[in-house]
Amino acid sequence: MVSSEYERRIAARFATFDQDGNGYIDREDFSAAAKRLLAEFGTAARSDKGQALYGGAEAFWQGMAGIADRDGDQRITRDEFVSGAVKRLRDNPDRFAEIARPFLHAALALADPDGGGSASVADTARVLTALGVSQDTAATAAAALDTDGDGKIGEAEIVSSFARYFTVPE
Ligand code: CA
Ligand code: CA
Ligand code: CA
């Protein structure tokens, strides 16, 4: 049974990936996300952190394409996303964490200027806003990522939350 609530949630996940809103997910969406993050944190694309973020975005795109781009046209349509990505990611959330991790690791590094391996809730909210989460919900969403309650968002917290968000229960 496919409920309308389920459909609505899938549509929201698709929209998160389809950063430019043109109706399909492709490499451009991932590089656009990286570009927005770098702009938000005033980081140059050619810096080490910038290069790590673009590398992570490319790896994320390749991983998603490998899972969902059935016809190999370098675009993930809504249909491919629903029938390919959503189902396979739900069956294997660890796989999703693996393909998203380099990008999330690099995004967290932008928000973590002292290199301590974690970011404040406020800076994590900036990451979420740059990725298209509305300002109203970004602060709440960032605070919710702090599952161990130490006031900081670490890589394990962001990766597992991300995987949970995208592995929508049917
Ligand atoms: Ca797109
Ligand atoms: Ca395709
Ligand atoms: Ca924490």
Side-chain angles (χ1 to χ4, degrees), residues 12-166:
R13 289 351 175 237
F14 185 83
T16 306
F17 279 111
D18 181 17
Q19 292 263 319
D20 60 13
N22 65 354
Y24 53 82
I25 300 164
D26 70 2
R27 178 180 275 113
E28 285 299 306
D29 292 309
F30 287 84
S31 55
K35 197 172 174 183
R36 297 232 305 258
L37 279 167
L38 292 176
E40 172 64 28
F41 289 95
T43 304
R46 285 189 202 147
S47 66
D48 288 349
K49 284 184 175 181
Q51 290 298 298
L53 190 66
Y54 277 110
E58 173 65 16
F60 199 171
W61 157 246
Q62 292 288 344
M64 287 296 289
I67 287 172
D69 181 20
R70 286 194 313 263
D71 61 5
D73 69 349
Q74 300 292 306
R75 294 176 175 187
I76 299 169
T77 61
R78 175 98 168 250
D79 179 55
E80 286 175 326
F81 185 74
V82 171
S83 61
V86 173
K87 182 175 185 312
R88 294 176 71 176
L89 295 174
R90 190 177 55 225
D91 292 348
N92 191 355
D94 290 347
R95 168 88 183 113
F96 186 65
E98 194 183 300
I99 65 174
R101 187 184 302 276
F103 177 74
L104 295 174
H105 177 88
L108 194 67
L110 290 180
D112 170 29
D114 65 6
S118 57
S120 70
V121 171
D123 284 338
T124 303
R126 288 172 66 195
V127 170
L128 297 177
T129 308
L131 294 176
V133 175
S134 77
Q135 292 210 326
D136 289 353
T137 58
T140 320
L145 292 175
D146 181 21
T147 48
D148 67 3
D150 70 350
K152 295 280 219 172
I153 313 301
E155 182 173 324
E157 289 172 323
I158 206 164
V159 169
S160 66
S161 305
F162 207 74
R164 240 187 351 263
Y165 177 73
F166 284 104

